[in-house]
């Protein structure tokens, strides 16, 4: 009986070894198939989504908004950082079609562009317009594409203040204002600016403009005399003076990403 028991155990062990070999072999084949599928999927995704196109369309403002004529700095910044940190993204194209907007919002986006540039190429494709604050953010890209009739430039700061006091006076309407400081209602539309207030606001505009102009000069290496009058500039002339690098549309910019990565 001892001999029979030993023989049965030997046969069972042999069967178990064959079973493990079979399962190991089948498991290895399955793993290889799964790996091949995953690699193929990653290659497909990488090829299809290797360039992230982020749109800056409308007036640039602070906040998490996108659409209805506004491009929010928080939204744009989040998109830039996500693309910069995505290992499947080869490069970023900012499609800019904006008349500008808030200097502070542009400064926020600039920081996010600089963050992205440390990780992968950032190329700007200008649409029909990329002026003022929209040019400010564009100037921080690695390369700028524009069309010959893209309207760009307008490198400066503006502050528009309305004065309805004469109309209110004609209508017999008076406005009483209670304020804690002499200049608390300095931009009120119900009265005219005093000379000292106008001088003070002009100083603020000049300081903001100086930051803008200085930054563009550092980024683009252009002469101050070319841009300090804040005039709008056509795309082809912008290329001649160094504000734009290449003529081309969105797809030209996308195709160019691989050359800068």
């Amino acid at each position: 009986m001892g001999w029979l028991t030993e023989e049965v155990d030997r046969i069972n062990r042999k069967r178990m070894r064959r079973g493990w070999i079979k399962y190991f072999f089948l498991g290895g084949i399955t793993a290889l198939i799964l790996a091949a599928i995953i690699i193929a999927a990653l290659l497909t995704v990488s090829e299809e989504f290797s360039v992230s196109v982020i749109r800056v369309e409308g007036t640039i403002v602070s906040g998490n908004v996108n659409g209805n004529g506004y491009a929010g700095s928080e939204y744009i910044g989040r998109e830039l950082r996500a693309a910069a940190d995505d290992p499947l993204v080869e490069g970023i194209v900012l499609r800019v079609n904006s008349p500008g907007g808030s200097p502070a919002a542009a400064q926020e986006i600039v920081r996010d562009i600089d963050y992205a540039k440390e990780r992968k190429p950032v190329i700007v494709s200008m649409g029909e317009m990329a002026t003022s604050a929209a040019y400010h953010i564009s100037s921080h890209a690695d390369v700028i594409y524009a069309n010959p009739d893209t309207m760009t430039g307008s490198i400066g700061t503006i502050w528009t203040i309305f004065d309805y006091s004469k109309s209110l006076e004609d209508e017999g309407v008076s406005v009483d204002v209670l304020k804690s400081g002499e200049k608390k209602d300095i931009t009120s539309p119900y009265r005219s600016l005093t000379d000292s207030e106008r001088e003070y606001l002009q100083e603020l505009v000049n300081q903001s403009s100086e930051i803008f102009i200085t930054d563009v000069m550092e980024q683009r290496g252009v002469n101050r005399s070319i841009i300090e009058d804040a005039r709008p500039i056509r795309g082809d002339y912008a290329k001649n003076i160094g504000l734009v690098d290449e003529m081309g549309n969105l797809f030209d910019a996308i195709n160019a990403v691989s050359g800068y990565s």
Side-chain angles (χ1 to χ4, degrees), residues 9-260:
D9 289 341
R10 185 183 67 79
I11 293 172
N12 286 336
R13 287 195 299 270
K14 188 174 182 181
R15 286 176 177 175
M16 288 179 64
R17 285 197 298 270
R18 288 177 178 175
W20 279 111
I21 292 172
K22 179 178 70 174
Y23 291 135
F24 181 79
F25 180 73
L26 291 175
I29 292 177
T30 302
L32 288 174
I33 292 174
L34 287 175
I37 292 173
I38 292 172
I39 291 172
L42 288 176
L43 288 174
T44 301
V45 171
S46 178
E47 289 175 1
E48 186 174 352
F49 299 105
S50 62
V51 177
S52 176
V53 178
I54 300 173
R55 297 182 179 275
V56 182
E57 298 180 333
T59 301
I60 297 172
V61 296
S62 298
N64 186 32
V65 296
N66 180 50
N68 297 319
Y70 295 97
S73 60
E74 293 174 27
Y75 178 86
I76 301 301
R78 187 180 300 109
E79 292 287 296
L80 281 164
R81 288 176 180 262
D85 294 333
D86 189 339
L88 296 181
V89 172
E90 180 183 2
I92 300 169
V93 171
L94 271 183
R95 176 62 168 175
V96 181
N97 195 22
S98 167
S102 163
Q107 290 160 6
E108 290 188 344
I109 295 174
V110 160
R111 290 181 65 86
D112 296 319
I113 291 175
D114 289 343
Y115 174 90
K117 280 172 57 181
E118 293 177 354
R119 291 154 177 80
K120 52 200 59 176
V122 177
I123 296 179
V124 159
S125 167
M126 293 180 171
E128 59 187 342
M129 178 175 290
T131 54
S132 195
Y135 183 79
H136 192 181
I137 67 173
S138 299
S139 69
H140 277 254
D142 292 301
V143 184
I144 300 176
Y145 276 75
N147 303 296
D149 274 311
T150 294
M151 196 57 64
T152 187
S154 191
I155 299 167
T157 305
I158 187 171
W159 194 343
T160 303
I161 300 171
F162 295 94
D163 179 7
Y164 300 128
S165 59
K166 184 63 169 63
S167 297
L168 293 173
E169 182 181 342
D170 293 342
E171 294 293 329
V173 178
S174 62
V175 178
D176 290 328
V177 176
L178 304 177
K179 55 186 178 181
S180 60
E182 179 184 355
K183 290 183 172 61
K184 182 61 179 177
D185 64 338
I186 192 170
T187 59
S188 170
Y190 306 128
R191 68 174 181 84
S192 300
L193 292 171
T194 66
D195 291 340
S196 65
E197 289 172 339
R198 186 180 300 278
E199 182 179 348
Y200 173 70
L201 292 182
Q202 184 63 59
E203 181 181 347
L204 294 183
V205 169
N206 291 345
Q207 290 171 348
S208 177
S209 181
E210 184 62 29
I211 292 174
F212 188 179
I213 292 174
T214 300
D215 195 23
V216 170
M217 290 170 59
E218 291 177 355
Q219 296 301 318
R220 302 299 306 180
V222 297
N223 190 285
R224 183 187 190 93
S225 63
I226 297 175
I227 60 176
E228 65 181 350
D229 64 355
R231 69 189 185 278
I233 301 170
R234 290 179 64 251
D236 55 358
Y237 183 66
K239 182 177 184 298
N240 291 340
I241 62 178
L243 293 180
V244 166
D245 297 298
E246 303 288 346
M247 292 288 100
N249 62 16
L250 172 63
F251 302 104
D252 293 319
I254 292 173
N255 291 334
V257 167
S258 60
Y260 296 96

